[in-house]
Amino acid sequence: MRRLGLALAVAAVLGFALFPVYWMVSSALDPGADGRGAALLPSGITWDHFRHVLERGGFGRYLLNSALVGAATVLLAGALALFAAVAVARFRFRLRTKVLIMVLVVQMVPLEALVIPLFLQMRELRLLDTLLGLVVVYVALSLPFAIWTLRGFVAAVPPEIEEAAYLDGCGWWRMFRSVLLPLVAPGLVATGVFSFILAWNEFVFAFAFLQDRSRYTAAVGLRYFAGPYATDWGAVMAGSTLITVPVLVFFVVVQRRLASGLAAGAVKG
């Protein structure tokens, strides 16, 4: 009875969590999505909503823009955060503790409060209405969490491992690349997942900074299927499904690498 109750509880939680996903996908395939109401099952199956979103809505371009912004954010934020984490975890310098506190304080600032100052700054730098400007903003938003997370991974690596590499004739760069980097790889994967999801799903800054429709990200492009007087729910759900699939694929791939990286780090430690 205990196992049965646990199984029923898990099934209820999974059903509650997965029902919005089911509703989104089934509505995207439902030819009568606009008048579906509360019906649990779709009236049929059609791919017209996906064709409308990709061919006439230009959603493929929006997905490509989001992929470029997300990839650039992950690479830049990971590299900068790793070097910063090594600095605060390994070196002793003045105001080191205050730097860590400032990193946490920055993360507590509401994102909405940063829209106007960052908009004015991007305009002064001539990065407004560019994907590069969006990448710069997303990297800045990702760095506090990434630095704090990677600092823990770097601090967990025993300094004796680095000293042994120095005694074997490694320079700092070779030690960093061959010894430290593989051990903190799980932390890089974790921060990469956070940075990618932030860049992929973020709407407020992309909506405020981008004016040219050819540069829209997927989150902004999805908004234009909802009009002031009517909403094309089939197109909205189809676009939402297209946005969700790459994130799920990315997370599944990264999750396997994260598990293998944790095991490899434990063995090497």
Side-chain angles (χ1 to χ4, degrees), residues 117-214:
L118 288 177
F119 180 91
L120 298 176
Q121 189 172 15
M122 290 297 107
R123 187 178 63 181
E124 292 296 325
L125 296 174
R126 300 184 183 275
L127 292 177
L128 204 61
D129 197 24
T130 64
L131 296 182
L132 177 60
L134 210 57
V135 170
V136 172
V137 172
Y138 291 162
V139 169
L141 296 178
S142 303
L143 279 179
F145 172 83
I147 292 174
W148 189 260
T149 302
L150 287 175
R151 174 193 169 275
F153 279 86
V154 174
V157 177
E160 291 78 11
I161 296 179
E162 301 175 13
E163 295 172 0
Y166 290 139
L167 292 176
D168 290 338
C170 287
W172 187 89
W173 175 249
R174 185 176 179 185
M175 183 280 302
F176 174 80
R177 182 189 53 179
S178 303
V179 178
L180 187 60
L181 186 59
L183 294 176
V184 300
L188 282 173
V189 173
T191 56
V193 170
F194 172 81
S195 301
F196 181 79
I197 292 178
L198 183 147
W200 185 268
N201 292 333
E202 202 282 324
F203 171 79
V204 175
F205 289 99
F207 180 68
F209 292 178
L210 300 177
Q211 284 88 40
D212 189 347
R213 190 166 182 175
S214 63

Side-chain angles (χ1 to χ4, degrees), residues 11 24 37 61 78 215 239 264:
M24 176 183 67
R61 179 65 183 179
R215 298 188 180 95

Side-chain angles (χ1 to χ4, degrees), residues 210-228:
L210 300 177
Q211 284 88 40
D212 189 347
R213 190 166 182 175
S214 63
R215 298 188 180 95
Y216 284 167
T217 59
V220 178
L222 185 64
R223 174 184 177 275
Y224 285 87
F225 294 106

Side-chain angles (χ1 to χ4, degrees), residues 27 30 41 44 79 133 193 225 269:
S27 297
D30 190 351
L41 297 177
V193 170
F225 294 106

Side-chain angles (χ1 to χ4, degrees), residues 8-33:
L8 292 176
V10 171
V13 172
L14 286 176
F16 182 79
L18 295 178
F19 181 76
V21 179
Y22 161 76
W23 189 269
M24 176 183 67
V25 176
S26 62
S27 297
L29 297 173
D30 190 351

